[in-house]
Amino acid sequence: ELSIRRDGSSVFGKDVRWATFPAVAVGWAFSEEPFMKNLYWLSFAKLRASWGRSGQQFEDAYLGHGRLKIGNIFMGKTGVSPEAMSNSHLSWEESDQYNIGVDADIYDYRLKIKADYYYKYTSSVLYLTPLPGNVYYHEKAWTNVMELSNEGIEIETLFDIFRNTDIKWRMKLNVSRNWNRFEKSYTDMDIEGWVIGRPIGGLYVYKDEGIIRSEKDIPAYFDQMANKKNLHFGNQSYPASVGMRRIKDMNMDGKIDAEDLYYAGSALPILHGGLFHEVKWKDFDLNILCAFSLGRKILNIFSKSSLNLTQRFSPLFYDYRGKTFWQEGNARTDFPTLNAISKEYSGQFDGLTDSNIERVNYMRLKQLTIGYNVNKKLLKKLNIDGIRVFFTGENLFLWSNYSGLDPELVDPISGIDNGRHYPLARKLTLGLTVKF
């Protein structure tokens, strides 16, 4: 198969409003070859490969024509000022995608397997690029300068467990794994937390080395005058002391700040997917849909930060029973020391530390539906095509090793649980469908 399409849009720059997007695909049903006839269990098998180019339009229309922003009040009226200059060459975010896959039907189509590998390279990604100077108030311009890549594996199986019996049972399972990389910036260097060769997003945290239990454990360094100084946090008025959390000085400059954050890995799961069951018996049917994720890294900064008791009347989302705050002589300590004066816990790097990273697995019963279709023979006299009574439950159960509220709502790119989302609600529905 071969296709070529030509698309245009008025939202792009006047010089690049049109683009050509070709695609090609080949397939080989190798199960039909003579040398495969001895494989009685193989009903059908096909090898596939494809390549195609696509273009993504802007989320905000007419970026290429320049944008204005609300400015100051002038003579009683709200004014506007330039925000980004026009760019007549601003165009599609183009992507090239390669796919290799195989389809296999086994044992008289009782088991169907579909496996795919894909690689997608996106060039000319939009970015608000700083200009070299202030040109008539224009300091930035939208340009097609970034490059990203995504690749992954997808496997889908469909199994007819019972199909020639009174009870019919089908099961469907799909599993996916995805990787992404930041490939290039407009400076050919790392920029604004995007590191060339690493995934987009990811976890950047401080290295937690436990609690400072004695004076000799306080990290220290010597200045140019050979004076010993304790490691400090942000500024020298906040030095490290006994009972505080020990954070590793990654760049060895004698202070803990944003420069000491290190990359602790991608937040994308190792595997994620869904499991679907469909069971039918006479006029009854049962449908079960589950979603799962394995091996996600989540930075839980929400639960422990709620222990900050200086925030009056704030809700507590951490089980503090049995937990201890540092005191001299304690053999076991869960948290740094309380404030020496107020006896309150004010927190210290409770959020962005690698000790708060959890390797999370979960499975959620997304939807369960039980239905009954009234026998059509009973409805024929009433000129009714069908009556179905059903009950549906959504988000009924969650099995997870996560200590936070709801792992499914955590952003899979950043991996940070900041508690800004309410857990998914459980929903119960009783319904009646009548067809005439």
Side-chain angles (χ1 to χ4, degrees):
E1 297 181 0
L2 175 66
S3 66
I4 299 177
R5 58 181 296 164
R6 180 84 171 162
D7 291 331
S9 176
S10 61
V11 304
F12 301 124
K14 62 180 181 180
D15 298 332
V16 286
R17 288 180 174 170
W18 289 88
T20 302
F21 302 109
V24 60
V26 295
W28 177 33
F30 60 89
S31 62
E32 306 303 308
E33 302 293 343
F35 61 84
M36 299 294 292
K37 295 302 181 181
N38 292 331
L39 301 180
Y40 66 93
W41 49 268
L42 185 63
S43 303
F44 179 79
K46 183 178 182 180
L47 186 64
R48 301 173 282 101
S50 64
W51 165 82
R53 177 171 296 168
S54 61
Q56 180 174 326
Q57 297 191 29
F58 306 153
E59 292 184 2
D60 298 326
Y62 306 108
L63 288 179
H65 301 276
R67 299 183 65 176
L68 300 174
K69 63 180 179 180
I70 296 177
N72 298 326
I73 302 298
F74 178 72
M75 299 183 67
K77 303 289 184 180
T78 301
V80 295
S81 61
E83 181 181 29
M85 67 184 302
S86 62
N87 182 356
S88 61
H89 296 282
L90 196 67
S91 186
W92 313 77
E93 291 184 334
E94 293 190 351
S95 298
D96 287 86
Q97 181 163 328
Y98 305 83
N99 286 74
I100 298 176
V102 61
D103 302 328
D105 299 330
I106 302 173
Y107 292 116
D108 194 22
Y109 300 91
R110 184 178 292 273
L111 175 61
K112 298 182 180 181
I113 301 175
K114 181 180 180 180
D116 284 275
Y117 166 79
Y118 65 88
Y119 178 80
K120 183 177 182 180
Y121 194 95
T122 304
S123 59
S124 60
V125 177
L126 285 179
Y127 188 78
L128 194 58
T129 309
L131 298 176
N134 188 331
V135 183
Y136 299 106
Y137 297 105
H138 293 298
E139 299 178 354
K140 296 181 179 179
W142 286 101
T143 53
N144 299 101
V145 289
M146 301 292 213
E147 298 182 9
L148 311 172
S149 69
N150 281 272
E151 63 179 320
I153 298 173
E154 297 178 346
I155 300 175
E156 181 179 305
T157 61
L158 178 62
F159 187 24
D160 276 336
I161 302 175
F162 300 137
R163 64 178 180 182
N164 297 321
T165 60
D166 291 338
I167 297 178
K168 294 177 173 55
W169 180 8
R170 300 175 66 192
M171 182 184 73
K172 185 176 181 180
L173 172 67
N174 63 78
V175 179
S176 302
R177 174 73 190 271
N178 175 263
W179 300 266
N180 64 50
R181 282 166 52 97
F182 178 49
E183 299 287 353
K184 185 179 180 182
S185 70
Y186 71 94
T187 61
D188 290 327
M189 296 183 292
D190 304 338
I191 181 172
E192 295 186 5
W194 292 11
V195 179
I196 295 177
R198 286 183 185 171
I200 298 298
L203 299 172
Y204 290 85
V205 293
Y206 294 102
K207 183 69 174 178
D208 185 357
E209 297 185 317
I211 305 297
I212 303 174
R213 297 182 175 275
S214 63
E215 294 287 343
K216 66 178 181 179
D217 294 331
I218 299 177
Y221 70 99
F222 294 88
D223 62 15
Q224 295 179 347
M225 302 301 294
N227 297 318
K228 183 179 179 180
K229 295 186 177 180
N230 289 347
L231 180 74
H232 57 271
F233 299 88
N235 57 73
Q236 294 185 3
S237 63
Y238 190 29
S241 61
V242 175
M244 295 180 67
R245 194 182 299 278
R246 178 169 179 165
I247 305 297
K248 186 173 182 179
D249 185 10
M250 301 295 288
N251 60 357
M252 304 297 291
D253 63 353
K255 62 180 179 180
I256 301 299
D257 54 19
E259 299 298 323
D260 296 301
L261 295 169
Y262 81 97
Y263 177 70
S266 171
L268 294 176
I270 296 176
L271 292 174
H272 69 279
L275 178 64
F276 175 75
H277 291 273
E278 181 184 48
V279 181
K280 292 183 179 180
W281 177 69
K282 295 184 178 180
D283 295 322
F284 293 90
D285 59 82
L286 171 66
N287 294 278
I288 301 174
L289 174 62
C290 296
F292 65 88
S293 175
L294 303 175
R296 282 189 64 183
K297 283 186 175 180
I298 294 181
L299 179 62
N300 186 357
I301 67 174
F302 177 59
S303 297
K304 291 183 180 179
S305 63
S306 69
L307 276 175
N308 189 339
L309 302 181
T310 60
Q311 301 177 9
R312 303 295 185 183
F313 307 111
S314 61
L316 190 64
F317 292 96
Y318 189 77
D319 187 359
Y320 62 88
R321 291 172 295 183
K323 304 299 181 180
T324 59
F325 298 89
W326 182 89
Q327 288 182 343
E328 189 173 356
N330 278 11
R332 174 178 170 270
T333 300
D334 299 301
F335 295 97
T337 184
L338 298 174
N339 187 287
I341 299 176
S342 64
K343 300 301 181 183
E344 293 178 336
Y345 180 68
S346 58
Q348 183 211 350
F349 294 95
D350 276 337
L352 295 178
T353 56
D354 56 4
S355 58
N356 287 330
I357 296 177
E358 301 181 34
R359 180 71 77 170
V360 177
N361 308 311
Y362 75 85
M363 175 177 282
R364 166 169 265 137
L365 180 54
K366 295 288 292 182
Q367 189 175 83
L368 182 147
T369 300
I370 301 175
Y372 173 72
N373 296 280
V374 178
N375 194 292
K376 291 186 177 181
K377 293 181 180 180
L378 301 178
L379 302 176
K380 191 174 183 180
K381 297 179 180 180
L382 301 175
N383 292 324
I384 297 177
D385 292 335
I387 295 179
R388 183 171 185 265
V389 182
F390 65 92
F391 166 80
T392 298
E394 299 180 30
N395 304 317
L396 295 180
F397 298 103
L398 173 66
W399 297 274
S400 176
N401 63 343
Y402 183 48
S403 66
L405 296 179
D406 193 336
E408 188 175 354
L409 296 180
V410 179
D411 183 5
I413 302 299
S414 70
I416 297 177
D417 184 0
N418 50 24
R420 295 179 180 176
H421 301 283
Y422 196 79
L424 290 176
R426 185 175 293 131
K427 183 179 179 181
L428 304 177
T429 303
L430 183 62
L432 174 66
T433 302
V434 181
K435 294 182 180 180
F436 296 94

